[in-house]
Amino acid sequence: MLSTGAYLISENPIILGACESMLPELNQSAEAVKLAEPPVILTAIMWNKEPWKRIIKARFQTSAAYRNLRIHWLGNTENEVKKLRTVGCEASHIHNNLFCLDTVFTIKPEESKKWDAIYNAALEPYKRVELAAKIEKLRLVTRTPKQADKIKELGCGHAEVNTLWVGRADLAVVLNQAVCGLALSAEEGGMIAMTEYLLCGLPVVTTPSKGGRDVWYTDYNHLIVEPTPDAVKEGVNYFKNNPRDSHRIRQDCLQTLALVRENYVSLVNQIAGKDILTLDSLFKDEKAILQKFVLQRDFKGLFNSYDGTKFQARHIIGTPSLDPR
């Protein structure tokens, strides 16, 4: 799910899909326009909310901080959803990786394996990049390429890392050049990179974690190791010596993705009280998804153009040139 705007799912009633970070701007925009009914925001949880203090904060935000919105939380774990419902929030167990582009992240058999492992991660402490230090052929992809020099501090100075932004198509190629993917954080959200690995047919070496990436685990596609450099290296070596069937990994991921998307479509239609969304209308391909997207900078213009049944500002809906990473 893109964190720079919102997906316009329905115009009558207004239903948008957005990351939690978009709620302040959406709330301000809705307040300024004085809509007759609060827009429904299907809100993706981007960081583990299972601790009760985070649940209570979400409850306060729902009723006070974002009172101009009707927030429906999408939990990455069943426990998040259970706790949110306990305190009176609307919530459903629908993983935020449902917008991963399965038509872009695919198996590319023409690519040879150049790296033992790849880690697509911000160079931030919670990602624990240092746990990959003992992997000999290591590829790092970061969304903060200006910080690429940090890899030396993390003990990964031998790794290849991007110094420029890597777009989705190029990332898919790079992923296919690795034996496996890495997921080394102890806590975060659903970890979009996890699903991108699997869609490209990569098995994953992961540490124990909280936040919801285990939704994508099968008995075949991952190996859980202790959070030490030696254990991570051993996990990578296991997949080097015991190659996985990339097509089986991808197919299992697609099945999980299809179920998550079906649940999303059902939820939207339930909220709307009518059938307004289908799988094809939103998830058929990259174009279908991006044509529903509205940039954060355009929220106020979008709401201002609402005539009670639809948005008049069609020019700000849909950003096909946007790189959705």
Side-chain angles (χ1 to χ4, degrees):
M1 173 169 282
L2 289 173
S3 59
T4 55
Y7 298 88
L8 178 57
I9 308 301
S10 169
E11 296 187 69
N12 186 22
I14 301 174
I15 302 175
L16 296 135
C19 296
E20 189 174 351
S21 60
M22 294 293 101
L23 293 179
E25 183 65 30
L26 284 166
N27 184 73
Q28 290 176 14
S29 300
E31 182 178 26
V33 176
K34 306 297 183 184
L35 297 168
E37 295 291 334
V40 178
I41 312 298
L42 303 180
T43 306
I45 293 174
M46 304 307 289
W47 191 267
N48 175 33
K49 269 195 172 19
E50 291 190 1
W52 277 108
K53 63 180 181 180
R54 296 175 190 167
I55 295 293
I56 298 303
K57 181 179 179 180
R59 180 68 185 92
F60 170 78
Q61 291 174 324
T62 300
S63 60
Y66 306 135
R67 59 185 177 276
N68 299 293
L69 308 173
R70 176 185 165 188
I71 297 175
H72 191 112
W73 297 96
L74 304 184
N76 294 314
T77 74
E78 292 182 351
N79 202 28
E80 285 175 331
V81 173
K82 180 180 178 181
K83 289 183 174 181
L84 284 165
R85 289 176 175 174
T86 297
V87 298
C89 293
E90 293 184 69
S92 298
H93 184 206
I94 299 178
H95 201 282
N96 67 35
N97 291 8
L98 79 164
F99 285 96
C100 280
L101 296 171
D102 54 294
T103 56
V104 175
F105 292 95
T106 60
I107 296 170
K108 304 184 185 301
E110 69 277 9
E111 297 297 332
S112 59
K113 301 299 183 182
K114 297 171 60 176
W115 297 289
D116 296 336
I118 188 168
Y119 195 12
N120 180 13
L123 299 179
E124 300 294 341
Y126 77 93
K127 286 293 190 177
R128 302 197 295 189
V129 177
E130 66 275 7
L131 295 180
K134 291 191 175 182
I135 300 171
E136 182 179 353
K137 295 180 180 180
L138 175 64
R139 179 69 156 94
L140 299 175
V141 178
T142 176
R143 287 177 287 179
T144 53
K146 291 182 180 180
Q147 299 178 343
D149 56 348
K150 290 178 63 175
I151 64 173
K152 295 180 180 179
E153 304 171 20
L154 299 170
C156 297
H158 63 290
E160 183 173 341
V161 62
N162 58 303
T163 56
L164 298 173
W165 176 264
V166 179
R168 58 189 181 274
D170 290 335
L171 175 58
V173 171
V174 174
L175 290 177
N176 273 266
Q177 295 171 344
V179 172
C180 64
L182 300 176
L184 305 179
S185 60
E187 180 183 25
E188 57 176 293
M191 189 177 177
I192 293 172
M194 177 81 183
T195 306
E196 292 173 348
Y197 294 153
L198 299 175
L199 288 172
C200 289
L202 274 63
V204 180
V205 175
T206 177
T207 55
S209 67
K210 296 180 180 178
R213 67 175 178 250
D214 56 315
V215 166
W216 305 93
Y217 294 168
T218 68
D219 293 338
Y220 187 76
N221 68 7
H222 75 290
L223 188 64
I224 300 177
V225 301
E226 292 300 311
T228 67
D230 285 329
V232 172
K233 179 182 178 180
E234 289 177 9
V236 171
N237 286 339
Y238 176 82
F239 285 131
K240 285 176 61 180
N241 298 324
N242 300 274
R244 288 296 196 248
D245 181 343
S246 59
H247 293 280
R248 175 177 171 182
I249 289 175
R250 175 176 167 81
Q251 188 57 41
D252 288 344
C253 182
L254 287 173
Q255 289 181 357
T256 302
L257 188 61
L259 180 59
V260 174
R261 289 175 171 179
E262 287 170 2
N263 290 340
Y264 190 82
V265 169
S266 295
L267 175 62
V268 169
N269 291 337
Q270 177 184 338
I271 291 172
K274 53 188 175 182
D275 291 340
I276 59 173
L277 186 67
T278 66
L279 287 171
D280 274 355
S281 66
L282 184 57
F283 299 112
K284 183 178 181 180
D285 52 29
E286 177 186 13
K287 182 178 180 181
I289 292 175
L290 293 184
Q291 283 185 333
K292 298 287 187 180
F293 197 70
V294 180
L295 288 167
Q296 179 182 3
R297 69 188 185 206
D298 294 328
F299 287 167
K300 290 182 180 178
L302 181 73
F303 286 159
N304 273 322
S305 76
Y306 194 64
D307 67 1
T309 60
K310 64 182 179 180
F311 296 104
Q312 299 298 314
R314 310 309 303 178
H315 63 286
I316 64 176
I317 304 171
T319 54
S321 62
L322 184 69
D323 190 309
R325 284 193 59 239

